[in-house]
Amino acid sequence: DAGVTQSPTHLIKTRGQQVTLRCSPKSGHDTVSWYQQALGQGPQFIFQYYEEEERQRGNFPDRFSGHQFPNYSSELNVNALLLGDSALYLCASSPRRLTGATYNSPLHFGNGTRLTVT
Amino acid sequence: QQPVQSPQAVILREGEDAVINCSSSKALYSVHWYRQKHGEAPVFLMILLKGGEQKGHEKISASFNEKKQQSSLYLTASQLSYSGTYFCGTPSGTRNQFYFGTGTSLTVIP
């Protein structure tokens, strides 16, 4: 049973560029959320997707956008990269449709994508 | 809205006990606990879904006081493998955002 998979594992970009990160949820999970974790900090909620729509958004600018596909996989896009966007980006999945609620079951995390902006 | 954890850091010898607290200024609807080792993803420990609930997982247990808007994680007879950063997490008032706490770094030494 494959867990949450994220790609790529590492990425180096230049300021002003755009980046796309990918996430495949754990089998049986329909909800994907994205988190940004700066060095030494806790994960910060970016947004959550289920039923192919963004359902809730944290305190992140519009440069951060996403998408969820019919197979529940998801992408995180960041435009006009800033040095401050350097962080570990984590994807988490959960089985919302099984519990009827978003956070009544564990979040399963992928190993993350380490983004470095130079 | 980020829950505050205490202590920020703790160092234990193998076999000692520890308590990590998580407090919120907002109402807590449920509390998750995760452990993250250096360079790895957070790993789920347990969820408490209602006030008064207590759960145990081997030598790790937790309690949830809904009225006090706080939760505590108890680690007993600590092992070297318990080292890592512990985060509590909770949905926001709208229940669709999720906030991790400030984190507690726990180091277990021989």
Side-chain angles (χ1 to χ4, degrees):
Chain A
D1 180 21
V4 179
T5 58
Q6 291 186 244
S7 63
T9 55
H10 294 83
L11 205 52
I12 300 175
K13 289 286 189 178
T14 304
R15 274 180 301 175
Q17 286 188 317
Q18 177 265 343
V19 67
T20 297
L21 310 181
R22 295 176 175 83
C23 172
S24 292
K26 180 179 169 65
S27 177
H29 289 188
D30 61 341
T31 299
V32 172
S33 49
W34 288 91
Y35 298 82
Q36 180 194 66
Q37 187 173 27
L39 207 58
Q41 305 294 318
Q44 300 294 314
F45 178 84
I46 302 175
F47 43 50
Q48 181 187 75
Y49 278 84
Y50 60 86
E51 296 177 352
E52 301 179 48
E53 289 190 19
E54 181 182 299
R55 297 296 177 170
Q56 195 54 265
R57 188 178 186 91
N59 190 25
F60 280 81
D62 292 344
R63 298 187 297 110
F64 289 77
S65 63
H67 189 78
Q68 185 179 38
F69 300 94
N71 66 352
Y72 309 121
S73 67
S74 177
E75 287 182 350
L76 164 65
N77 300 294
V78 187
N79 294 324
L81 285 167
L82 303 173
L83 294 179
D85 294 332
S86 295
L88 178 68
Y89 288 84
L90 294 164
C91 168
S93 72
S94 56
R96 179 183 176 276
R97 63 184 170 183
L98 294 181
T99 64
T102 306
Y103 295 116
N104 282 357
S105 55
L107 297 174
H108 291 255
F109 285 88
N111 288 328
T113 294
R114 173 72 62 187
L115 173 65
T116 302
V117 182
T118 63
Chain B
Q1 294 188 347
Q2 182 180 32
V4 176
Q5 291 181 229
S6 62
Q8 283 187 312
V10 59
I11 298 175
L12 302 173
R13 291 198 178 276
E14 273 187 293
E16 291 183 336
D17 302 340
V19 180
I20 299 172
N21 299 304
C22 172
S23 295
S24 175
S25 59
K26 303 277 186 179
L28 288 176
Y29 298 100
S30 64
V31 180
H32 296 218
W33 284 96
Y34 294 85
R35 175 172 62 212
Q36 185 176 30
K37 293 184 179 286
H38 184 68
E40 299 179 11
V43 174
F44 169 77
L45 295 176
M46 63 188 76
I47 291 180
L48 300 103
L49 295 178
K50 53 187 177 181
E53 186 172 13
Q54 295 190 19
K55 278 194 174 178
H57 175 70
E58 296 182 345
K59 296 179 181 177
I60 301 175
S61 61
S63 63
F64 176 20
N65 189 322
E66 192 175 26
K67 288 184 179 178
K68 291 186 177 180
Q69 297 174 186
Q70 60 184 220
S71 175
S72 296
L73 186 71
Y74 307 93
L75 300 102
T76 58
S78 58
Q79 306 167 12
L80 295 175
S81 61
Y82 286 3
S83 293
T85 301
Y86 289 77
F87 293 100
C88 64
T90 182
S92 74
T94 61
R95 304 196 186 206
N96 278 327
Q97 295 185 37
F98 192 84
Y99 292 94
F100 281 91
T102 51
T104 296
S105 174
L106 185 141
T107 304
V108 181
I109 58 175

